[in-house]
Structure formats: structure tokens, C-alpha cells
DNA sequence: CTGTTAGCGCCTTCAC
DNA sequence: GTGAAGGCGCTAACAG
């Protein structure tokens, strides 16, 4: 009893065969209305529930898909995941979420775990880890398991991706600072082996150059996306002989750290120094001194990633096309960068 | 090729039978060292990987466990999940994370989804939804699927729980405000059908009474754990004839909203009004005006929840005991409540 | 339309 | 120690 009913039980009850029950349950056309109705009714009566494990074994599909992110406790990744869920749940998929915490061993471990879970696909944002070892990815490809990158991608042939135009996001942000009259703009970067950070750097640089400002490499510092790291790095910037009058940060968290340091020194924002972050984390809006930031429409990103996955599954790899979707970021101008001249 | 090797392939290769291969792979004692070694070697050579789906079908265990939370984009729940992962990954489990977004239909839907995924257990923090319908829970119990509540529990017999002492957390926080000289302390509450909020309310009330202050029910307002809700509610409080001189909030987010409103009115924190939040979200520490809050050691909570689950699984329900772990919260005193008299 | 048969990959008695 | 056989629950040919 108690939910362990199988199609055989139903078959026995009705003096028919399990295959017929299966057909009735699956809306197979070759089945009489009468029997279908009968089966459906008894199934309900007996509290029948399909055993997905058996189905998975049979079909080779688990209807589980894995999502790997650096961490889940940022609004950005949480929203992406929500977007993925919204798209995939209605199709009967489950989402297994794994975190890498930017550690290579966890990244590899997660992939293997998901493989064990027999996932039908993996959607991931690669970690900060140096993962030169593409082995895990190759393993996926060899097994024909769809792999799709979002946000933090890697160029691997055969792998689709959904990203935003980081170059544009950075360019717009920097341009905005220039328009507000800032002349010496620093950039808090991050590991530029990751394309997102490389492109933000390039966008920043281009905006500087395009607008006739002096590009000073010493104003670009790589740091980590943590509040205290941002603070530390800003200390260095402010101690320079010619300190910057604005900072474009590739992360909201480092931007926050920067603000802390600047305020501690009694400098005013945005009057003395302008600040822009990246990702539009909720706190940027909530701060008393709200922070200008670049929105990446993460929910949208998640939805599209899921759609790309569904396309690949439905194409059954017949068409082995890479698809690269690039979303457009939006600058959210707030107090930290708005000088009312 | 390509990872589709089965034990039959290995068996054929070695001219033995699949049963033997299985035994070798599973360290069954009745097997000669020689054959085991041989099997292990060829398995490695052929890139054999166990098909967990088949195993799951056979054993009835999926090694998936479901975690249901209201949302993942708060540090609190994210940390709990991390704790759970740390405990469960080494044991070979996967964690499927679901969010209810405090909607009843999603809560029920999630449970069913996890049931479909054949999870070996569900660890959950119930949503704000009124879920009077205990049906879904009963379904789990009937199926003998371990269910464990953390943080937001419901009293259901046979179900273990891991929570913190919300009463104490609230009591300590309120007591601290009193010690700092605040006399008229308001409480931003939340749906008190949820035990955590009920207990925080009771702890607050008791501290007021124990310390000879006047308990004024009109200073207690139920609101939602959102920044703008906190702001809205604080407006009401400050507009009262006898406004409060301190606010103990059952959520860090509402506390943040309260601070926004207070500052907009030109009142000073903590001089004019003291504020305490609940959960010790990272931003409470990062704000320029850091917020006093109650830490709930979420990672620990996650670990213990996982441990309780493992115990239940290992006991195989022989001992059908409920276990109720209650952790002790810790008050983190920061600027928002510290008056240097 | 429905029954029969077989197999997904694995493990576990039962013999030998 | 190892082989043979059966079954976990389901679906998909192949008959009829």
C-alpha cells in the first residue's frame, strides 16, 4: 500500500496487462476510451504514482538538470536560477543546484556528481578557478550531455552560451562617469582570465580612450569580489600620488568596500569621488547612498539559458550548432555617481 | 564507447559473468583477490561508471535529497544549504534545492516534484503560506520518507526539527536595548502563525515585562520581511502619538527599511532611536551604520539538520523517534543600538 | 485495440 | 569463488 502501487497492480485489478495500463497512462492513441477511463480511475483510486526511476532507466533520461554556479547567496545567481526554474519546471525537469565556491576541486567534483545523478544537461557559470583542465568538459561532450554556459563562459567548441555584453556594460558605465565630469577613473578589476572581467576591462579602457582621457594602467587593479578586498584595494588607489576621482568596479561588493574606505577618509561621494558597481545587487539600491550599477537582467539570462538547453535536447544533437546569446546590460544611475554639477 | 560501459561489457571482456563483476565492484567478500583486481583494472580501462539510475531502481534509494526553502538569495538560507551540502556530499548524496517563494502552490508542487525525483528525504523550512493542508506532509510520512524541518517548523508528530531558540534571541536583543536605556521599544513582527515569529514576539514581550517597562501591544506590528515593508511600517510607528525610541525587528530586511525611514526624518541612530535586526545578514555588518542583529549560525543549523537526516536513514525507521535540536542564537552588537551614554 | 515479450543496468538469492 | 536466473517498474516492438 501507501504509494507503492505499480502498473502491474492496476493491471491485475482490471484483469488487463501492464502494457495496456502504461498506454492508457501515457495517452497512447491506440487505446479505447473505455479502458483509458477505467485505468485512470483505478490508478487514482489506488494512489498510483509513476516511478520516475524506472522511467529514467528505461529512457535514459533522468529529467534532472544540473546548474553549477560559484555561489547561490548573491542575488545575481539566485535570480538566474529562478529564471531557469521558471522555464524548466513546467517541462517536468528538476534542477539540482551545485556551488563551486570558486574552487577547482569542487567544480570538478560537482560535474562528476551531476554525472552520477545522470543529469540530462548541465548549465553552468564557470568558477574563478584556473581549470585549465578541460577534461571534465570533454567528458560531458563525449557523453553528448548538453553543456551550456551562462555569464561566465569559456570558449569550447560545441558549447553554447548566454552572456551579457560586458564590454558595453563597462563602456556605458565609464562613459557615464566621464559625462559627469570625472577625469581620472580607476577600475577595480578581477581575474581577467575570466572573459567577463576581461571584457569589462576592455570596455572601460575603450571608453577612456574614446573620450580623450589619459589611460593609466596603474589605475587598474585586480582584486576579488569581496567587500573587504574592495576596501583594501581602494586604500592603495587613494594612497597613490595622483589618486583617482572615480572608480568603476566590476563588482558591487568591491564597490561597497570602496565606499567604506572613501567615507572613512572623509571624502564625499559623489562630490569628490564617483562610484559605479556591477550586477545591480539589491543592496546597491537600498543603501542610504545608493550605488550606480550595471543591471544584467539575470532572470532573463536564466530563462534563455534554459531555452537554449531545451532546444538542444529537442534537436537531439542532430544539428550540432553552437548558439551564443548576448544580452544587453542596462546602467542604473543612482546617487553614487550623479553629480548635479 | 564513451562512458556507456556496463558490467556486462566488462564481463564479456573477461569471460566471466556480470554477477561476478558486480561483486568485485562492490567489495563483496566472496571473491578472489585475483578476479577483483582484474575486474577493477578492466573497469578502469573501459571507463566504466556505475549507472546510479539502475542502482536506484534496484535499491529504491536515489541518493538525492530535497531541500525546500522560501528563497535562496538570502545569506541565511544559502548558508544553511551550504552546511547541508558539507555534511551530505561526502556520503554520496546530491542535494536538490527548491524554492517556495512563500507560495503555497509552489510548496506543494515542490514536494511532489521531489517525490517524483524519488528523493530519500526532504529537509525543509516551511513557507509563509498558510498550508493548513497537511496533506503533502502526511503523504511523505506515509511513504516513510524522512522529513526534517529546520528554522521554520511545524509541529507534526514523527517529524524532527532543528531550530534556534528564537525566544532567547528576541529576549536578549530586547534586553540589550533596555540596558542601553531605551524605554519604549517597538517590535516589527511577521506572520505569527509561523513559530519563529511567534517566539520572537514572545521573547520580546517577556523581556519588556521582566524589566518593568510598559508592554504596549500597539507597538507590535506585523509586516513582511522586505525592505520597503519595513519602511512603511516604521512610518506608522513614527507617526504615533507616543512613538517608540527603539525597534526590535524580526528581520534584517525590515530593520533596514526602518533605518531608511528614520534617517529620512532626520532622526539619529542610535542616539534618538535604536535598531536591532534578526539573522545577521552580511549587509548588517557592511552598512556604514552597522546594524545590531541576532546570529543564528545557519551553517551549523544546516549541518545538524543533515546529521539528523542521516541518523534517521541509518536507523531505518526502526526507532521512530522525533528529535528536536534547538541552537542558541548570539546577539551581535553593532552601531545601530550602542549608545555610549 | 490489447496481450506478449524483451530489455534498460544492476544486484541478489540459489545452486554448483 | 563463480555462474545462472530473476526482478526492480516501465515502455516499445511485435503480434494478433
Amino acid at each position: 500500500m501507501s504509494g507503492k502501487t505499480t502498473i502491474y497492480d492496476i493491471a491485475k485489478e482490471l484483469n488487463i496487462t501492464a502494457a495496456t495500463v502504461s498506454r492508457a497512462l501515457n495517452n497512447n492513441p491506440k487505446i479505447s476510451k473505455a479502458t483509458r477511463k477505467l485505468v485512470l480511475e483505478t490508478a487514482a483510486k489506488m494512489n498510483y504514482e509513476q516511478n520516475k526511476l524506472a522511467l529514467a532507466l528505461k529512457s535514459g533520461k533522468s529529467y534532472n538538470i544540473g546548474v553549477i554556479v560559484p555561489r547561490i547567496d548573491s542575488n545575481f545567481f539566485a535570480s538566474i536560477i529562478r529564471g531557469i526554474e521558471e522555464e524548466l519546471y513546467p517541462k517536468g525537469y528538476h534542477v539540482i543546484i551545485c556551488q563551486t565556491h570558486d574552487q577547482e576541486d569542487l567544480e570538478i567534483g560537482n560535474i562528476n556528481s551531476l554525472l552520477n545523478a545522470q543529469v540530462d544537461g548541465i548549465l553552468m557559470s564557470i568558477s574563478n578557478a584556473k581549470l585549465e583542465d578541460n577534461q571534465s568538459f570533454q567528458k560531458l561532450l563525449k557523453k553528448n550531455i548538453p553543456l551550456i554556459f551562462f555569464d561566465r563562459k569559456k570558449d569550447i567548441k560545441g558549447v553554447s552560451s548566454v552572456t551579457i555584453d560586458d564590454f558595453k556594460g563597462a563602456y556605458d558605465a565609464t562613459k557615464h562617469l566621464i559625462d559627469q565630469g570625472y577625469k581620472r577613473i580607476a577600475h577595480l578589476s578581477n581575474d581577467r582570465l575570466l572573459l567577463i572581467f576581461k571584457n569589462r576591462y576592455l570596455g572601460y579602457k575603450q571608453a577612456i580612450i574614446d573620450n580623450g582621457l589619459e589611460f593609466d594602467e596603474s589605475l587598474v587593479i585586480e582584486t576579488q569580489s569581496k567587500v573587504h578586498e574592495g576596501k583594501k584595494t581602494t586604500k592603495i588607489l587613494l594612497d597613490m600620488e595622483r589618486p583617482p576621482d572615480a572608480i568603476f568596479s566590476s563588482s558591487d561588493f568591491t564597490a561597497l568596500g570602496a565606499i567604506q574606505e572613501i567615507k572613512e577618509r572623509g571624502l564625499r561621494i559623489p562630490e569628490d569621488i564617483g562610484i559605479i558597481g556591477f550586477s545591480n545587487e539589491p543592496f546597491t539600491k537600498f543603501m542610504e547612498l545608493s550605488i550606480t550599477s550595471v543591471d544584467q537582467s539575470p532572470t532573463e539570462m536564466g530563462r534563455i539559458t534554459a531555452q537554449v538547453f531545451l532546444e538542444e535536447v529537442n534537436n537531439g544533437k542532430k544539428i550540432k550548432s553552437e548558439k551564443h546569446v548576448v544580452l544587453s546590460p542596462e546602467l542604473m544611475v543612482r546617487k553614487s555617481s550623479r553629480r548635479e554639477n
Side-chain angles (χ1 to χ4, degrees), chain A residues 80 83-84 86-87 298-308:
Chain A
I80 290 180
I84 292 173
E86 283 173 356
E87 206 69 15
T299 311
E300 186 70 5
M301 191 182 284
R303 298 192 79 111
I304 295 177
T305 305
Q307 285 162 9
V308 172

Side-chain angles (χ1 to χ4, degrees), chain A residues 25-299:
Chain A
L25 258 21
N26 290 289
N27 286 320
N28 189 308
K30 344 174 161 190
I31 192 115
S32 74
K33 272 195 170 180
T35 38
R36 166 173 303 145
K37 184 163 175 247
L38 210 54
V39 168
L40 257 35
E41 281 172 3
T42 22
K45 200 179 305 165
M46 299 176 74
N47 292 315
Y48 169 76
E49 283 175 32
Q50 188 186 47
N51 184 330
K52 297 274 181 183
L53 254 28
L55 203 171
L57 176 60
K58 179 72 183 171
S59 70
K61 288 191 69 174
S62 67
Y63 278 94
N64 279 149
I65 82 111
V67 175
I68 303 179
V69 291
R71 76 200 66 80
I72 57 176
D73 64 342
S74 76
N75 181 271
F76 177 64
F77 287 117
S79 298
I80 290 180
I81 290 171
R82 174 133 207 214
I84 292 173
E85 287 177 347
E86 283 173 356
E87 206 69 15
L88 253 29
Y89 274 148
K91 307 280 185 187
Y93 285 93
H94 300 285
V95 173
I96 301 182
I97 302 169
C98 297
Q99 310 182 59
T100 65
H101 300 287
D102 276 328
Q103 290 168 237
E104 180 167 5
D105 54 336
L106 282 179
E107 179 151 309
I108 296 176
N110 281 335
I111 294 177
N112 287 327
S113 291
L114 291 174
L115 245 27
N116 273 343
Q118 235 73 21
V119 290
D120 296 341
I122 291 183
L123 317 183
M124 82 181 284
S125 200
I126 67 170
S127 80
N128 233 335
K130 303 274 178 289
L131 252 213
E132 287 140 22
D133 143 70
N134 267 1
Q135 234 169 354
S136 305
F137 297 131
Q138 295 306 339
K139 200 161 150 192
L140 289 176
L141 295 179
K142 243 187 245 157
K143 294 197 179 198
N144 265 319
I145 295 176
L147 169 66
I148 295 158
F149 291 132
F150 55 85
D151 192 52
R152 302 180 175 200
K153 62 176 286 195
K154 206 164 184 177
D155 284 320
I156 296 181
K157 68 168 175 252
V159 181
S160 296
S161 68
V162 180
T163 53
I164 66 149
D165 189 339
D166 288 286
F167 182 94
K168 178 177 188 304
Y171 190 99
D172 291 352
T174 309
K175 178 69 164 50
H176 164 71
L177 286 172
I178 295 171
D179 288 345
Q180 293 290 309
Y182 297 104
K183 302 285 183 209
R184 194 164 160 74
I185 303 168
H187 177 43
L188 295 185
S189 186
N190 200 323
D191 187 345
R192 270 172 276 165
L193 286 178
L194 283 177
L195 288 177
I196 56 169
F197 296 120
K198 182 176 172 192
N199 287 333
R200 289 173 199 178
Y201 162 74
L202 291 176
Y204 151 83
K205 184 172 177 179
Q206 195 62 45
I208 296 281
I209 293 170
D210 284 358
N211 289 277
L213 294 188
E214 170 202 12
F215 173 71
D216 183 349
E217 189 78 48
S218 72
L219 287 178
V220 177
I221 306 187
E222 280 196 11
T223 179
Q224 308 221 18
S225 182
K226 305 223 157 109
V227 178
H228 66 273
E229 294 292 336
K231 191 168 180 204
K232 222 164 66 182
T233 312
T234 303
K235 236 189 270 282
I236 298 172
L237 283 172
L238 297 183
D239 285 340
M240 289 174 63
E241 231 167 284
R242 293 174 55 212
D245 65 354
I247 297 177
F248 163 56
S249 169
S250 53
S251 145
D252 283 332
F253 296 98
T254 43
L256 180 52
I259 289 177
Q260 289 180 350
E261 179 64 24
I262 292 168
K263 286 204 168 174
E264 277 182 23
R265 298 197 179 206
L267 295 169
R268 293 165 310 163
I269 301 172
E271 294 82 353
D272 301 323
I273 301 191
I275 299 281
I276 295 185
F278 212 105
S279 281
N280 200 23
E281 287 288 328
F283 71 78
T284 57
K285 189 168 37 201
F286 293 143
M287 304 284 296
E288 189 194 359
L289 170 71
S290 59
I291 308 174
T292 298
S293 190
V294 179
D295 185 69
Q296 304 172 274
S297 48
T299 311

Side-chain angles (χ1 to χ4, degrees), chain A residues 322-335:
Chain A
E322 281 172 47
K323 187 162 186 177
H324 296 286
V325 180
V326 180
L327 303 174
S328 195
E330 185 185 358
L331 186 65
M332 314 300 284
V333 177
R334 304 203 179 90
K335 289 187 192 166

